Amino acid sequence: MRPTAVRTAITHTRVLDGTGNPEYLGDIVLESGLIAGIFPAGSFKDDGATVLIDGAGLVACPGFINLRGTSDTAPLTDPARHSALTQGVTTEVLGQDGAHCAPLTDASASVLRNHFSGLDPDWADRDVEWRTVGQYLDHLDSGTGTNTAYLVPKNAVRALATGSPAVAPGAQQLVAEVKAMADALEQGAVGLSSSAPGDSATPAETAELEALCAAVGAYGGYWAPDLDSLAVPAAESATRSVELAAKTGVPVHLTHLAADRAGAADLLAVLDRALKAGVDLSCDSHPYLENPGMLASLLPGWARDGQDEDVLARLDDPEAVARISSDLEASGIDWDALTIAFVCSGQLAMLVGQSIARIAAIQSSDPVTTLARILHTDSLATGVLYAAGTEEDLRAILVHRTHTGAGVGFGSDTAGHPGVWGSFPRFVGALAREAKAMDLPAVIHQLTGRPAQRLRLSNRGVLAAGNAADVLVFDPDAIIDMATFADPRQPAAGINHVFVNGVPAVSEHQPTSALAGRALRRGTEGTTQSL
């Protein structure tokens, strides 16, 4: 049963409404899951039936919206979502990391169940009962701590049409794939996710992505290409993505935007040219120089395509490894900057904290052969950290007019990057308060109103009467991330209260474990149909 929202008044608070406008003082009344009204400070009178929160000296704003959720499977294996809620996040977008959750074939449902079982013992005796996106969203609606929206991974609809994510569609299969994508959008998905288009894509693969993007654009959804491959320069990957968006007319949201050794200037110039040309563009990144990722993401796109067994087979093929080596050598990867963050195989435990360059030297091997050995031994489950760009590069990205905040997608909340628990307070505390790179209304806008616009949410992301009561109350002088690489599972400081659909999710700094989140469906509750 969904928890009941209690009538609440946040009084004498500094209101930052999420639009980027200056703050003002007010009393905010929450009732029946909605914002009943925002009144002049001090005008609300205690009626004895309302929970009162003294907001004096505190800031009230919309709950933060994470356009790149921590882990696709987290709301299913960790429905309370403390890592999100204790940093003020009330809405998460899923569908960009790990095993795809919908739509599913019977075979992919079995793979997903095995994935869940490895993360949560409770799934050992459970089945994945849903197959369609609509059924998956219904399942999420049965109880999660945060609101959730879903992007459909390209490989999910490809597997539905061809039987395998490793098989590019023929002409008839492409029709079926586009139909599957349209069905997913009709059922509430907000768009499409995929890797960024690469120069090694076949004509069939290029036609596939173009057809899917055109369908997504026609439904008012958006495409989220992932720019996390170190095998392709960031500016080059962004250029290919915005060119495809311009060709198909789909709004594009570049995920994992980060500078590489070339710096941020060329990358941001790509964005500026696209905006000038009329491309509907946004991006996200997290506020740390150290980027988490999977070691397998270093592989060129063609080498990562398909199921895990397809990738592992390529790592056993000398010709494929030679091609991988050639591609990676051309990309100029700094092997000294790549450090093993976590492994699943006990045989590799001694490698954690070591760079690929050092491991290769110890093994008297070259970096690519070392990479292939590690991936094969660890069944592709190895995590890495890599430094990208400089503090100046990072700040230039974070203040760009298309930027929205993002968490750290690192597989699960148990992974060792502090951004899993601290990204959003770091945006506010470090970027706005300490570095003074943005003023407070601007940084709140890029974490609330701007991502709500990308999701086409009509009643979230802005504090206004009648909107959903996703509300954060924080101390502007104290908000900051407390998690570190040494101790990454630490809640942020300065998060006083969080409401999800009017229900307290964090109360007096403590999570309540209330499951008040909703699945946000395109075209229905909380969203608009079209531009």
Side-chain angles (χ1 to χ4, degrees), residues 2-8 30-35 63 85 89-91 141 144-148 459-460 466-472 498-505 514-520 525-526:
R2 189 179 299 280
T4 303
V6 178
R7 180 176 167 88
T8 303
L30 314 180
E31 186 172 12
S32 301
L34 301 176
I35 299 172
L85 291 164
V89 172
T90 57
T91 296
D141 228 358
T144 58
T146 55
N147 302 310
T148 51
N459 68 343
R460 298 177 197 268
N467 279 3
D470 294 343
V471 181
L472 163 63
V498 179
F499 295 87
V500 177
N501 297 304
V503 175
L515 303 182
R518 300 179 182 275
L520 305 181
E525 188 275 328

Side-chain angles (χ1 to χ4, degrees), residues 94 121 132 202 209 291 309 320 335 337 340 344 355 361 369 375 459 464 469 478 484 489 499 502 505:
L94 311 176
T132 69
T202 67
L209 194 51
N291 286 279
E309 55 265 30
W335 298 104
I340 302 296
C344 290
S355 72
T369 300
L375 288 176
N459 68 343
T484 64
R489 290 175 54 83
F499 295 87

Side-chain angles (χ1 to χ4, degrees), residues 258-296:
D260 51 26
R261 291 199 298 172
D266 289 346
L267 174 61
L268 295 178
V270 173
L271 274 58
D272 291 336
R273 287 194 296 270
L275 291 170
K276 188 175 181 179
V279 176
D280 185 346
L281 170 70
S282 56
C283 68
D284 70 49
S285 63
H286 60 75
Y288 300 86
L289 271 182
E290 300 85 359
N291 286 279
M294 303 304 292
L295 184 59

Side-chain angles (χ1 to χ4, degrees), residues 174-194:
L174 181 55
V175 172
E177 195 171 331
V178 172
K179 173 64 164 58
M181 188 71 231
D183 288 344
L185 292 161
E186 290 278 6
Q187 293 164 23
V190 296
L192 168 74
S193 67
S194 75

Side-chain angles (χ1 to χ4, degrees), residues 198-221:
D199 60 359
S200 60
T202 67
E205 291 168 334
T206 300
E208 172 192 30
L209 194 51
E210 289 178 356
L212 291 173
C213 283
V216 170
Y219 274 87

Side-chain angles (χ1 to χ4, degrees), residues 47-347:
D47 57 9
T50 302
V51 175
L52 297 180
I53 294 175
D54 182 3
L58 304 177
V59 169
C61 70
F64 297 145
I65 297 174
N66 185 357
L67 286 182
R68 193 174 189 283
T70 300
S71 171
D72 294 350
T73 55
L76 297 169
T77 58
D78 171 34
R81 303 302 298 126
H82 289 178
S83 64
L85 291 164
T86 58
Q87 57 178 309
V89 172
T90 57
T91 296
E92 301 179 275
V93 178
L94 311 176
Q96 298 169 86
D97 283 324
H100 63 255
C101 291
L104 298 171
T105 63
D106 288 345
S108 57
S110 178
V111 171
L112 184 62
R113 179 190 173 279
N114 291 336
H115 179 73
F116 285 154
S117 299
L119 296 172
D120 182 354
D122 289 344
W123 275 90
D125 300 319
R126 297 167 63 183
D127 290 325
V128 175
E129 298 175 350
W130 66 87
R131 292 296 182 271
T132 69
V133 167
Q135 292 166 348
Y136 170 57
L137 294 175
D138 287 343
H139 187 88
L140 290 173
D141 228 358
S142 66
T144 58
T146 55
N147 302 310
T148 51
Y150 185 62
L151 287 164
V152 178
K154 177 175 71 71
N155 279 349
V157 289
R158 177 189 274 195
L160 212 64
T162 69
S164 169
V167 177
Q172 289 186 329
Q173 292 169 323
L174 181 55
V175 172
E177 195 171 331
V178 172
K179 173 64 164 58
M181 188 71 231
D183 288 344
L185 292 161
E186 290 278 6
Q187 293 164 23
V190 296
L192 168 74
S193 67
S194 75
S195 58
D199 60 359
S200 60
T202 67
E205 291 168 334
T206 300
E208 172 192 30
L209 194 51
E210 289 178 356
L212 291 173
C213 283
V216 170
Y219 274 87
Y222 71 96
W223 171 45
D226 194 337
L227 274 59
D228 74 340
S229 175
L230 293 179
V232 181
E236 181 180 331
S237 186
T239 297
R240 291 174 182 159
S241 297
V242 298
E243 286 176 348
L244 190 146
K247 181 176 182 179
T248 61
V250 68
V252 60
H253 179 79
L254 304 174
T255 71
H256 259 143
L257 199 71
D260 51 26
R261 291 199 298 172
D266 289 346
L267 174 61
L268 295 178
V270 173
L271 274 58
D272 291 336
R273 287 194 296 270
L275 291 170
K276 188 175 181 179
V279 176
D280 185 346
L281 170 70
S282 56
C283 68
D284 70 49
S285 63
H286 60 75
Y288 300 86
L289 271 182
E290 300 85 359
N291 286 279
M294 303 304 292
L295 184 59
S297 72
L298 272 70
L299 299 173
W302 63 268
R304 287 184 286 153
D305 210 8
Q307 303 277 24
D308 286 358
E309 55 265 30
D310 302 309
V311 180
L312 292 170
R314 294 184 190 106
L315 297 176
D316 270 340
D317 180 351
E319 290 187 5
V321 171
R323 183 182 171 192
I324 291 170
S325 181
S326 177
D327 287 356
L328 294 184
E329 183 179 348
S331 71
I333 288 178
D334 182 357
W335 298 104
D336 286 302
L338 282 159
T339 303
I340 302 296
F342 66 83
V343 296
C344 290
S345 171
Q347 300 177 50

